[in-house]
Amino acid sequence: MQPAAAQREQSIPASTSHPKGLYLLFATEMWERFSYYGMRAVLVLFLTKAMLMDKAFASKFYGGYTSLIYLTPLIGGFIADRYWGNRRSILTGGALMALGQFTLFAAASNYGPAATHGLSHQLLYLGLGLMILGNGFFKPNISSMVGSLYSATDKRKDAAYTIFYMGINLGSFFGNTVTSLVGDTGRSEDFRWAFLACGIAMVLGTIFFQWGKTRYLHTPEGEQVGETPVNSGGIKGVFALLPVLLAVMIGILWLDSAKFATIAPLLGIAVVVIAFMIFSDKSLSGADIQGILVIFIVSFFVVFFWAAFEQAPASLTFFADEQMDRHLFGYELPASLFQNLNGFFVVAGAPVMALLWTALGRRGAEPPSPVKMAMGLALLALGYLVMCFGVHNVQPGVKVSMFFLVALYFFHSIGELCLSPIGLSLVNKLAPAKFSSLLMAVWFLANAAANYLAGYMSSLYPDPKSTKPAPVLLGYHIENLYDFFLVFVVSAAVAAVLLFVISGKLAKMMDARNHAPAAV
């Protein structure tokens, strides 16, 4: 047994190297993101080309699905905090998502319109329901575990989350590449191979996590992290509840897509309920409350980021498919493959950004997290501004150079590195320990609202083949692509300016939380 002094010395990082547990989580998340983003790359094309859904309906359907993907972490985070712990939640979520991908493979093996292929559409809802529920258990727990590997004052956390985020985008890169090449071939029968590949990837990620969780997931002092909470009495009860939760998810998705808006009210209710659960806790100190308020405020601003960013799998894919010159060296690239640019740019840029934040931190010149996030919003606006130049005054029938879409993805990817991993780290640093997973779910609740809004915005895409009247947004007529992309320029730029203006106040609130004893 080592002396206490030696143990304390080990808890202080002697170099910039990271614990091995970070790379286990990196690899697990990489396979899961292969599965999710690989499927996402072809989903809207599958809905419109194989299931023969109309573009506006497919966009809203996709928005509802991705919104629920980010809403269910509220449930998964709560169950992990109270009953299951991170590890059991991640393993269960991984198994459910693998089953969901294989169900989508079955749906894509006998595709067609709902009128003649009812079973295929039922399998589509079942597969997406399994994905939604599984992600709810997986996503908030693996993200919160990253911070658990470091001490509360460890300066390497922002860099760790940036490295972790590189795993997300490495998975996205490989997933998008594989599914675009095997699924987006111009033949509707090939979409099934994309779902099969994603199911296999999810199985690999789950097995890898099971293999390494005990070996590598521990604190600097050697204590295991993510295990079942003390005095948990609901492990079997939650397993029994899973079929009910699945039925609810499928029902909400069906109601929202086929009947009336269901998800938007749920998002509002979720904000109120989670705020009540947290702020009614009398054990929270004033500094804790300030930190939680910062999380809520920055989460509001990231809605504007993701609503514009998440046009990639819907409206931007429609644009690439129909109105962009995709020929390169005599070969026509699949439209879905261009989503891969985001993963490529993030994988290439993440190490640079991690080194940049670390170097600035050593010199005391690192900007506060809210300023970094405002920079991300500004870069998002810049990406859409480039697209506005590309499509301005383009004549009907003339296809736009792929350069403009490549430039958009470059600016968006650097903006994402300024916002998303920094936000994950911010939540981990500011959340009281007893609400760590639940507040990480708040971060994903902002993503849920943004994805729902993204689906609605994508439904306003000005389809040149449509004979319907031009879409209207708050009295603004979207007559062409220039009008459409300009909406995102304005919304992201305004959000960036506002966040930058209040960043000083937010930094002071964060500082109060960082220098006060946290609730446990």
Side-chain angles (χ1 to χ4, degrees):
M1 186 171 179
Q2 293 178 315
Q7 291 180 345
R8 285 195 300 272
E9 187 176 349
Q10 286 185 350
S11 71
I12 301 172
S15 69
T16 57
S17 62
H18 291 271
K20 292 180 180 179
L22 174 65
Y23 301 103
L24 172 67
L25 298 176
F26 174 105
T28 304
E29 180 77 347
M30 180 190 72
W31 284 115
E32 188 274 332
R33 292 291 90 179
F34 179 113
S35 174
Y36 173 71
Y37 281 108
M39 181 270 280
R40 191 191 78 154
V42 300
L43 180 58
V44 172
L45 294 175
F46 170 67
L47 296 177
T48 55
K49 294 187 175 185
M51 305 300 260
L52 300 183
M53 294 181 181
D54 143 295
K55 282 181 185 173
F57 179 85
S59 293
K60 290 181 180 178
F61 180 81
Y62 169 81
Y65 160 67
T66 53
S67 179
L68 288 173
I69 279 284
Y70 287 104
L71 182 59
T72 48
L74 291 170
I75 300 171
F78 176 80
I79 289 173
D81 284 341
R82 298 294 191 276
Y83 304 107
W84 272 9
N86 300 128
R87 299 185 182 193
R88 183 177 286 107
S89 296
I90 290 168
L91 290 170
T92 303
L96 288 171
M97 286 189 285
L99 183 59
Q101 296 285 16
F102 293 134
T103 304
L104 292 174
F105 168 75
S109 297
N110 183 27
Y111 57 88
T116 57
H117 292 75
L119 177 60
S120 180
H121 283 254
Q122 291 170 9
L123 289 173
L124 171 67
Y125 278 97
L126 175 60
L128 294 180
L130 287 163
M131 291 289 295
I132 290 165
L133 183 60
N135 184 80
F137 287 108
F138 188 98
K139 190 64 180 171
N141 290 292
I142 196 164
S143 298
S144 63
M145 283 191 81
V146 173
S148 302
L149 304 176
Y150 299 84
S151 67
T153 58
D154 198 320
K155 297 281 187 187
R156 298 175 297 168
K157 276 191 180 181
D158 273 8
Y161 272 102
T162 301
I163 293 170
F164 176 72
Y165 208 72
M166 187 171 66
I168 293 175
N169 285 275
L170 192 62
S172 169
F173 178 81
F174 287 128
N176 281 9
T177 300
V178 170
T179 58
S180 294
L181 294 178
V182 305
D184 186 12
T185 63
R187 299 186 298 271
S188 295
E189 61 268 23
D190 288 340
F191 284 117
R192 57 181 171 167
W193 304 123
F195 299 129
L196 180 62
C198 292
I200 293 171
M202 194 64 250
V203 169
L204 289 173
T206 305
I207 291 173
F208 190 74
F209 180 82
Q210 170 65 21
W211 167 80
K213 68 182 193 298
T214 303
R215 292 177 176 87
Y216 302 118
L217 297 180
H218 51 75
T219 66
E221 294 77 22
E223 297 177 5
Q224 294 287 313
V225 299
E227 296 188 309
T228 305
V230 178
N231 300 324
S232 170
I235 295 174
K236 293 182 179 179
V238 176
F239 275 116
L241 187 63
L242 290 181
V244 177
L245 291 174
L246 176 61
V248 170
M249 293 304 109
I250 295 172
I252 291 172
L253 182 61
W254 179 76
L255 284 173
D256 191 80
S257 60
K259 297 299 180 181
F260 54 85
T262 308
I263 297 174
L266 283 176
L267 292 171
I269 293 170
V271 172
V272 173
V273 170
I274 197 169
F276 175 78
M277 289 174 61
I278 293 173
F279 290 113
S280 62
D281 191 305
K282 302 300 183 184
S283 67
L284 295 175
S285 67
D288 287 327
I289 291 175
Q290 288 195 69
I292 293 169
L293 283 172
V294 171
I295 294 174
F296 275 85
I297 292 168
V298 298
S299 295
F300 169 76
F301 279 97
V302 301
V303 170
F304 294 92
F305 183 90
W306 292 118
F309 186 94
E310 289 297 333
Q311 296 303 305
S315 65
L316 290 176
T317 296
F318 293 147
F319 170 76
D321 186 47
E322 300 173 348
Q323 296 175 261
M324 190 178 76
D325 183 3
R326 293 181 279 118
H327 289 88
L328 184 66
F329 304 121
Y331 175 73
E332 187 174 31
L333 300 173
S336 59
L337 191 63
F338 284 86
Q339 295 177 55
N340 219 358
L341 290 167
N342 173 236
F344 172 78
F345 287 134
V346 170
V347 169
V352 177
M353 298 299 288
L355 290 172
L356 174 64
W357 301 141
T358 302
L360 290 174
R362 287 173 181 166
R363 292 168 173 79
E366 184 176 4
S369 295
V371 173
K372 295 178 184 177
M373 298 170 76
M375 292 165 56
L377 280 161
L379 287 164
L380 181 81
L382 181 59
Y384 276 111
L385 184 62
V386 170
M387 284 296 291
C388 285
F389 283 114
V391 301
H392 190 49
N393 291 329
V394 171
Q395 298 302 311
V398 176
K399 293 199 172 184
V400 178
S401 168
M402 68 175 71
F403 161 80
F404 295 100
L405 190 60
V406 172
L408 174 141
Y409 278 120
F410 172 76
F411 288 117
H412 284 195
S413 301
I414 303 304
E416 182 182 3
L417 285 169
C418 290
L419 181 136
S420 192
I422 303 307
L424 290 172
S425 179
L426 179 145
V427 173
N428 183 268
K429 287 187 288 189
L430 297 181
K434 68 189 301 181
F435 290 121
S436 60
S437 293
L438 193 57
L439 280 167
M440 187 61 74
V442 170
W443 176 256
F444 294 118
L445 177 61
N447 285 262
N451 276 270
Y452 192 77
L453 181 58
Y456 171 75
M457 295 300 296
S458 185
S459 72
L460 302 178
Y461 179 78
D463 189 345
K465 299 177 182 178
S466 176
T467 57
K468 298 178 181 179
V472 180
L473 177 66
L474 301 175
Y476 175 67
H477 290 259
I478 302 174
E479 302 283 353
N480 49 47
L481 289 170
Y482 178 83
D483 296 339
F484 181 71
F485 293 132
L486 189 61
V487 170
F488 301 110
V489 174
V490 173
S491 61
V494 170
V497 171
L498 290 177
L499 181 55
F500 182 78
V501 168
I502 66 171
S503 61
K505 175 63 176 176
L506 295 178
K508 290 181 180 178
M509 295 168 68
M510 292 168 58
D511 191 59
R513 171 65 178 84
N514 290 334
H515 289 85
V520 294

